[in-house]
Every structure is written in structure tokens, then in C-alpha cells.
């Protein structure tokens, strides 16, 4: 029994400073549109998510996320999110090196715990669609002749 406890501590100890333990493997992404009330379709998740702006969604840090924003009367916009190593994530990842946590480094690499998605928040200003041009008639408009002016 005591041997198992020592083994468990030996496995967990390298991960004490790791990003997955200090930051978690998910993050919240805020989505805002002007005007509000647009539909945001978030892809790249285990379960694709749809919300109405403004909204917040939970995503895995290692996910390749794309946000598509649509609202009737406006041009749709697609915002691909990029993953970057965050300052806190880098500190957690470095904690693995200091503590000698090769296991923790592997966990962070697989879970993406040292990463953040950018931009966050996702902010878009929707542009109105152009109104359809009025159809032109095939015939030119008929012009009435000008009235003759009296001569003096």
C-alpha cells in the first residue's frame, strides 16, 4: 500500500508546475458582434457550438477553432483563431523543466495547456449587405416634347 502511494506521488510530482495543472486544458472564448444578435457558429470542437452574440464558449486549448458569424442583412464573417504560447502557459511549461517533469511536458504538449487562442475576445463589426439593384426596364423612358415658348 505504502509503495503504491510513493509511486503515485512520483508520477504526479513532475506535473506540479505544469501548465495543465495550473491553467487547465480549456479556456473561455468571448464572441461579440456589432450589431449584437448575430449567430456565431464555432467549429473545431468535439461538439460544434452555436450561440447568439454576445456569448462565451468553452474550447479545448489544443483545438483548431474557427468562428463563423452571420446575421440576416449583413455580410458573414469567418474568424480563424490561432494558438499561441501564453505567458502563464510558458511559465507552467518551464516549471516542468525546473522540476524535471518530462511527463508534465508531454501532458502539456498533448493538451495544449500552454496555449491560448487569439484573438480573444473575438470582436467583429458586421457590414450591411448591399441592396439588390432595381431591375432596369428594357425600354428607355418616354420623354414628352417641350412646350413651344411664345415669341415676343
Amino acid at each position: 500500500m505504502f509503495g503504491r502511494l510513493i509511486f503515485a506521488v512520483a508520477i504526479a510530482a513532475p506535473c506540479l508546475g505544469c501548465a495543465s495543472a495550473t491553467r487547465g486544458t480549456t479556456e473561455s472564448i468571448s464572441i461579440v458582434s456589432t450589431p449584437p444578435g448575430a449567430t456565431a457558429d464555432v467549429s473545431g470542437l468535439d461538439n460544434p457550438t452555436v450561440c447568439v452574440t454576445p456569448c462565451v464558449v468553452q474550447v479545448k486549448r489544443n483545438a483548431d477553432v474557427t468562428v463563423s458569424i452571420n446575421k440576416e442583412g449583413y455580410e458573414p464573417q469567418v474568424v480563424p483563431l490561432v494558438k499561441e504560447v501564453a505567458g502563464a502557459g510558458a511559465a507552467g511549461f518551464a516549471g516542468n523543466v525546473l522540476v524535471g517533469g518530462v511527463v508534465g511536458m508531454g501532458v502539456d504538449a498533448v493538451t495544449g495547456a500552454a496555449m491560448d487562442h487569439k484573438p480573444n475576445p473575438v470582436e467583429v463589426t458586421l457590414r450591411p449587405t448591399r441592396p439588390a439593384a432595381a431591375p432596369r426596364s428594357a425600354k428607355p423612358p418616354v420623354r414628352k416634347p417641350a412646350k413651344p415658348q411664345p415669341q415676343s
Side-chain angles (χ1 to χ4, degrees):
M1 167 92 171
F2 184 69
R4 287 185 186 177
L5 178 62
I6 298 255
F7 180 72
V9 169
I11 294 293
C15 201
L16 289 176
C18 70
S20 52
T22 59
R23 303 184 64 214
T25 58
T26 62
E27 71 176 307
S28 297
I29 303 291
S30 298
I31 306 169
V32 180
S33 69
T34 302
T39 301
D41 184 4
V42 184
S43 62
L45 309 178
D46 291 338
N47 297 315
T49 303
V50 176
C51 62
V52 176
T53 62
C55 57
V56 177
V57 295
Q58 282 292 117
V59 302
K60 288 185 176 178
R61 290 187 186 276
N62 64 350
D64 294 319
V65 178
T66 301
V67 180
S68 301
I69 301 173
N70 297 290
K71 184 170 178 140
E72 187 158 337
Y74 294 88
E75 294 177 13
Q77 290 195 29
V78 177
V79 180
L81 299 165
V82 295
K83 295 177 282 192
E84 295 179 355
V85 175
F93 198 75
N96 287 322
V97 175
L98 295 174
V99 179
V102 175
V103 172
M105 290 173 66
V107 169
D108 286 350
V110 170
T111 64
M115 306 296 245
D116 279 341
H117 287 93
K118 303 289 181 199
N120 188 11
V122 175
E123 299 176 320
V124 297
T125 300
L126 298 171
R127 293 176 294 220
T129 54
R130 295 184 181 200
R136 295 184 176 180
S137 64
K139 297 179 184 178
V142 178
R143 293 186 179 199
K144 295 182 180 180
K147 292 183 181 179
Q149 297 292 326
Q151 293 183 356
S152 22

